[in-house]
């Protein structure tokens, strides 16, 4: 008689790995970018501390007192130097936040591991863009708010002719909303170039140059003509140095020149550059050559809020376009 022995093998339970969530992406983003985030935060904090010092100097009557520093000699120069940081903050986001984001993954070939079946390239990119973009926007808004706080203190303490008008780049550009869109544009420009070039150093260089070119083009050219400028006209007789003073000092200067009796713009006669003993002789030199009026084209101060809104829209459109370009570039490269 034969005995049959049956052996039962216990089945090993299948372990199901949870999908990568926003918490995981947040931790990954912080681990990979904590040094650049912390460094930028220190720059913002240090600049804010200097601006708080400048405001205190202004409110206590020390803004014009000499400072024991080599580069700056008084508080007003310190205002100008500290204001450079908000203007260039977007370039920092372009070069050190956006440009290395994808190119470093391609160079080190870590994208082959990072963009696995658990985490697609598109989801990885969207997570990085949302988390880093939110941090960049927060830092930029904070610095813009502190800059405005400093300028308000300085303007309240100095003579109106020495303060900063609403159209000056220091006031116009450092509005928190504009600082946010400048930062997002710099970040998006760096990411798009990173996706296209896939090399860190060329992407850093092109992002820095591209950011400066766009900022100068928009702020120095387009901004002047968001709406048709107004024209202030004054006869050449009298003090030629006071004609701009009749326009609100908060207005944005566009251009100026000379007009003939028919209202046509005429070139300044170079032979009137010579020094005259009296202002009447100088005026006579101009009238003998058909010039009867000065003109100044300007944007009134009342338009500055509208202009800031227009500029926000311009940069937001560019941000969206750049991010869409980077997104589809990454998706296409993953399929290839």
């Amino acid at each position: 008689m034969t005995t049959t022995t049956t052996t039962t093998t216990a089945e090993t339970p299948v372990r199901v790995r949870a999908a990568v969530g926003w918490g995981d992406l947040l931790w990954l983003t912080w681990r990979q970018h904590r040094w650049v985030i912390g460094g930028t935060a220190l720059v913002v904090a240090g600049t804010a501390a200097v601006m708080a010092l400048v405001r205190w100097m202004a409110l206590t009557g020390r803004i014009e007192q000499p400072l024991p520093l080599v580069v700056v000699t008084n508080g007003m120069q310190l205002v100008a130097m500290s204001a450079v940081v908000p203007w260039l903050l977007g370039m920092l986001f372009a070069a050190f936040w956006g440009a290395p984001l994808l190119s470093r993954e391609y160079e080190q070939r870590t994208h082959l591991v990072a963009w696995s079946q658990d985490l697609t390239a598109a989801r990885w990119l969207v997570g990085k863009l949302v988390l880093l973009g939110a941090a960049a926007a927060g830092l930029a808004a904070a610095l813009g708010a502190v800059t405005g706080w400093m300028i308000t203190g300085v303007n309240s303490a100095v003579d109106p002719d020495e303060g900063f008008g609403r159209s000056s780049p220091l006031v116009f550009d450092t509005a928190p909303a504009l600082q946010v869109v400048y930062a997002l544009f710099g970040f998006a420009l760096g990411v798009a170039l990173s996706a296209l070039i896939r090399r860190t150093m060329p992407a850093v260089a092109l992002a820095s140059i591209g950011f400066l070119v766009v900022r100068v083009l928009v702020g120095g050219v387009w901004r002047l003509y968001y709406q048709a400028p107004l024209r202030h006209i004054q006869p050449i007789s009298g003090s030629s140095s006071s004609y701009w003073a009749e326009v609100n000092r908060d207005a944005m200067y566009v251009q100026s020149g000379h007009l003939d009796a028919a209202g046509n713009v005429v070139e300044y006669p170079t032979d009137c550059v010579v020094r005259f003993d009296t202002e009447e002789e100088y005026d006579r030199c101009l009238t003998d050559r058909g010039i009867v009026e000065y003109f100044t084209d300007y944007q009134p101060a009342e338009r500055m809020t509208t202009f800031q809104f227009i500029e926000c829209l311009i940069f937001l459109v560019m941000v969206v376009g750049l991010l869409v370009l980077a997104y589809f570039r990454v998706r296409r490269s993953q399929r290839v």
Side-chain angles (χ1 to χ4, degrees):
M1 183 176 184
T2 304
T3 305
T4 303
T5 305
T6 304
T7 305
T8 304
T9 304
E11 294 184 359
T12 304
V14 178
R15 184 179 177 182
V16 180
R17 185 161 53 182
V20 177
W22 284 102
D24 301 314
L25 284 174
L26 177 61
W27 180 87
L28 176 64
T29 302
W30 171 250
R31 289 287 298 174
Q32 288 185 321
H33 305 280
R34 63 186 183 277
W35 291 111
V36 70
I37 294 175
T40 307
L42 285 177
V43 171
V44 171
T47 306
V50 173
M51 291 179 176
L53 173 63
V54 171
R55 179 182 170 88
W56 173 81
M57 292 173 62
L59 296 179
T60 55
R62 296 179 171 88
I63 193 69
E64 298 291 347
Q65 291 185 0
L67 295 173
L69 301 175
V70 177
V71 181
V72 293
T73 58
N74 57 49
M76 293 302 290
Q77 292 186 8
L78 195 60
V79 172
M81 290 194 64
S82 61
V84 174
V85 178
W87 200 91
L88 296 178
L89 188 63
M91 189 173 69
L92 187 150
F93 289 124
F96 298 104
W97 288 49
L101 186 65
L102 291 164
S103 57
R104 187 173 296 160
E105 299 286 342
Y106 286 122
E107 286 179 339
Q108 300 175 356
R109 301 189 66 80
T110 52
H111 68 290
L112 299 175
V113 179
W115 303 343
S116 61
Q117 294 181 354
D118 295 328
L119 184 63
T120 64
R123 181 174 171 79
W124 180 93
L125 179 61
V126 170
K128 289 294 188 79
L129 293 178
V130 171
L131 297 173
L132 289 176
L139 290 172
L143 189 56
V146 174
T147 306
W149 178 67
M150 175 194 69
I151 294 172
T152 301
V154 172
N155 282 346
S156 66
V158 301
D159 186 83
D161 293 334
E162 299 178 0
F164 301 94
R166 291 179 61 190
S167 65
S168 68
L170 179 59
V171 178
F172 190 100
D173 293 355
T174 53
L178 277 175
Q179 279 296 300
V180 168
V181 295
Y182 294 156
L184 293 179
F185 168 72
F187 179 57
L189 178 63
V191 171
L193 291 172
S194 183
L196 293 172
I197 300 174
R198 300 190 180 187
R199 293 292 182 269
T200 301
M201 293 311 299
V204 168
L206 288 177
S208 303
I209 296 171
F211 178 83
L212 288 177
V213 169
V214 173
R215 287 281 282 108
V216 171
L217 177 64
V218 174
V221 180
W222 292 3
R223 182 185 299 170
L224 300 176
Y225 300 99
Y226 289 158
Q227 294 184 27
L230 302 182
R231 174 162 289 186
H232 173 76
I233 298 176
Q234 177 177 330
I236 62 170
S237 59
S239 176
S240 60
S241 61
S242 64
Y243 71 97
W244 176 244
E246 295 187 12
V247 180
N248 190 316
R249 75 177 185 90
D250 287 333
M252 180 183 294
Y253 173 84
V254 177
Q255 64 175 347
S256 59
H258 302 82
L259 301 173
D260 59 18
N264 301 313
V265 178
V266 295
E267 294 292 332
Y268 179 78
T270 56
D271 50 349
C272 289
V273 176
V274 298
R275 190 176 187 86
F276 293 94
D277 294 333
T278 64
E279 189 172 339
E280 288 73 16
E281 294 179 358
Y282 174 71
D283 292 343
R284 189 179 305 112
C285 178
L286 294 177
T287 55
D288 289 344
R289 288 153 183 81
I291 297 175
V292 297
E293 293 173 321
Y294 295 108
F295 78 89
T296 302
D297 291 342
Y298 68 98
Q299 299 288 358
E302 296 76 22
R303 294 180 178 178
M304 292 305 103
T305 301
T306 302
F307 279 21
Q308 288 174 329
F309 178 73
I310 293 173
E311 196 154 312
C312 280
L313 290 180
I314 291 173
F315 276 93
L316 282 176
V317 169
M318 290 191 287
V319 168
V320 172
L322 290 168
L323 294 182
V324 169
L325 173 63
Y327 177 81
F328 283 104
R329 176 65 175 173
V330 168
R331 287 195 62 183
R332 181 176 179 274
S333 64
Q334 188 182 28
R335 287 198 301 267
V336 174

